[in-house]
């Protein structure tokens, strides 16, 4: 577990990022104070949903940053359904917004609507998650994290967790995956497996793996099933904190101690995740910064002005997690 000093520092930072859940439909428009921009940019943004604390903080960051930038924001919540996002993007095209941004529910199935945006000469920016397309020119850039590296770091920090716990013998891992077909689910699993196959082929094994859709309810339900079919699980790797928190409820209901009988590593860094870690129920968390709003607004302005931007703009890691990394995580460069 992390030191109390590092936990408190992290908890303060994450608490500031946490807010109310995103609306389940299009919010309409919002803008900053008059005169904050000589010509207001209209941004159409389609969010995945409001499935987790991370997503809530991400939505709040986008809304706040758009207001601060003086942009008119048209915000819609897809409720984790690709068809809702496609409909929202088509609506933005019809409204002739200046820029479209969205965090795609899944990786595939976007070519048709992206071609429509390109034909309408409306640039598209991806946030948080990537897509697979037949034509890379269909979107301008991606503002987001390296999910594969997050998976690698989760495996590396598990090494430290096992060492600290004095664990000997086979490591039987249950994996709670994110939404099937979503970039973070695919890439976090890939990165974790890379390290496991390279360094722990003889002693680590993922004995069961299933999607919990990035939700607490999903994590609770799937973990209960895991414990029924594989009662000897001794490690849980959750693709996000919310699923880990849901899983904790099922672990406790089964008469086991989370963080001791079953060691838990997750990804995100939301407030409730750090609370669980302070209680010893989650052993370690790898950060994925949700505060993409300011970076997104900078990119939107550059795109609108016709400036060249990088193909992939990595999320800025926060200072408190850099501090934490010194004691808890492998050395990282920022």
């Amino acid at each position: 577990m992390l030191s109390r000093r590092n936990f408190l520092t992290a908890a303060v930072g994450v608490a500031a990022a946490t807010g109310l859940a995103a609306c389940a439909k299009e919010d309409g428009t919002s803008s900053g104070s008059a005169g904050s921009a000589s010509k207001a940019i209209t941004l159409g943004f389609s969010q995945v949903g409001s499935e987790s604390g991370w997503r809530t903080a991400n939505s709040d960051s986008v809304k706040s940053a758009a207001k601060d930038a003086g942009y008119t924001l048209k915000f819609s919540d897809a409720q984790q359904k690709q068809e809702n996002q496609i409909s929202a993007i088509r609506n933005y095209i019809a409204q002739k917004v200046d820029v479209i941004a969205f965090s795609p529910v899944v990786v595939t199935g976007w070519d048709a609507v992206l071609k429509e945006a390109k034909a309408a000469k409306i640039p598209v920016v991806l946030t948080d998650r990537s897509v697979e397309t037949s034509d890379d020119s269909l979107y301008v850039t991606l503002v987001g994290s390296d999910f594969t590296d997050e998976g690698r770091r989760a495996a590396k920090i598990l090494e430290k967790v096992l060492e600290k716990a004095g664990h000997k013998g086979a490591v039987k891992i249950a994996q709670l995956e994110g939404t099937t077909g979503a970039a973070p689910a695919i890439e976090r699993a890939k990165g974790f497996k890379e390290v496991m196959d390279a360094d722990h082929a003889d002693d680590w094994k993922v004995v069961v793996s299933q999607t919990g859709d990035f939700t607490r309810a999903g994590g609770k339900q799937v973990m209960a099933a895991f414990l029924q079919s594989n009662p000897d699980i001794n490690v849980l790797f959750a693709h996000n904190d919310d699923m880990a928190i849901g899983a904790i409820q099922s672990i406790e209901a089964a008469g086991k101690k989370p963080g001791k009988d079953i060691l838990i590593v997750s990804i995100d860094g939301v407030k409730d995740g750090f609370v669980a870690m302070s209680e010893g129920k989650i052993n370690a968390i790898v950060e994925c910064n949700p505060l993409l709003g300011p970076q997104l607004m900078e990119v939107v302005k550059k795109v609108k002005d016709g400036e060249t931007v990088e193909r992939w703009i990595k999320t800025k890691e926060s200072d408190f997690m850099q501090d934490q990394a010194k004691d808890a995580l492998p050395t990282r460069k920022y």
Side-chain angles (χ1 to χ4, degrees), residues 66-254:
K67 183 176 180 181
D68 290 345
Y71 299 169
T72 297
L73 176 67
K74 296 179 180 292
F75 184 98
S76 63
D77 181 333
Q79 299 177 317
Q80 292 185 278
K81 296 179 180 178
Q82 184 178 32
E83 59 268 29
N84 289 350
Q85 281 200 307
I86 291 173
S87 177
I89 292 169
R90 285 183 170 142
N91 188 34
Y92 295 148
I93 294 170
Q95 293 179 53
K96 299 180 180 180
V97 301
D98 295 303
V99 180
I100 293 171
F102 74 109
S103 181
V105 176
V106 293
V107 171
T108 59
W110 301 104
D111 277 29
V113 72
L114 291 179
K115 286 177 181 177
E116 291 170 27
K118 185 176 181 179
K121 298 183 179 180
I122 300 175
V124 175
V125 175
L126 304 180
T127 69
D128 176 37
R129 301 178 176 186
S130 61
V131 299
E132 293 177 3
T133 67
S134 60
D135 179 359
D136 285 345
S137 71
L138 295 179
Y139 68 92
V140 178
T141 188
L142 162 66
V143 180
S145 300
D146 186 335
F147 297 134
T148 303
D149 191 56
E150 289 173 357
R152 295 187 193 107
R153 285 190 277 133
K156 286 295 185 181
I157 202 170
L158 177 56
E159 294 174 337
K160 295 178 179 289
V161 167
L162 290 164
E163 181 181 358
K164 186 164 186 176
H167 180 85
K168 304 295 182 183
V171 179
K172 297 182 178 181
I173 304 168
Q175 180 174 228
L176 277 170
E177 305 168 20
T179 303
T180 301
I186 295 168
E187 294 168 19
R188 286 170 181 168
K190 176 186 175 183
F192 189 89
K193 188 175 185 299
E194 281 180 11
V195 174
M196 187 176 70
D197 289 350
D199 301 334
H200 302 284
D202 296 332
D203 56 335
W204 290 18
K205 183 178 181 180
V206 175
V207 296
V208 63
S209 184
Q210 187 176 321
T211 179
D213 280 328
F214 285 127
T215 67
R216 294 191 190 190
K220 180 180 179 180
Q221 180 180 359
V222 175
M223 191 66 195
F226 284 173
L227 291 168
Q228 287 283 334
S229 61
N230 295 271
D232 56 348
I233 291 166
N234 49 33
V235 168
L236 170 64
F237 168 42
H239 286 188
N240 79 339
D241 291 345
D242 280 81
M243 289 191 295
I245 292 166
I248 285 169
Q249 297 176 47
S250 291
I251 292 168
E252 292 176 330

Side-chain angles (χ1 to χ4, degrees), residues 4 8-9 17 21 68 78 93 101 104 117 124 142 183-184 202 213 253-254 287 301 303 305 309 328:
R4 180 172 177 78
L8 290 174
T9 307
D68 290 345
I93 294 170
V124 175
L142 162 66
D202 296 332
D213 280 328
E287 183 198 23
K301 185 177 187 306
V303 168
D305 291 344
V309 296

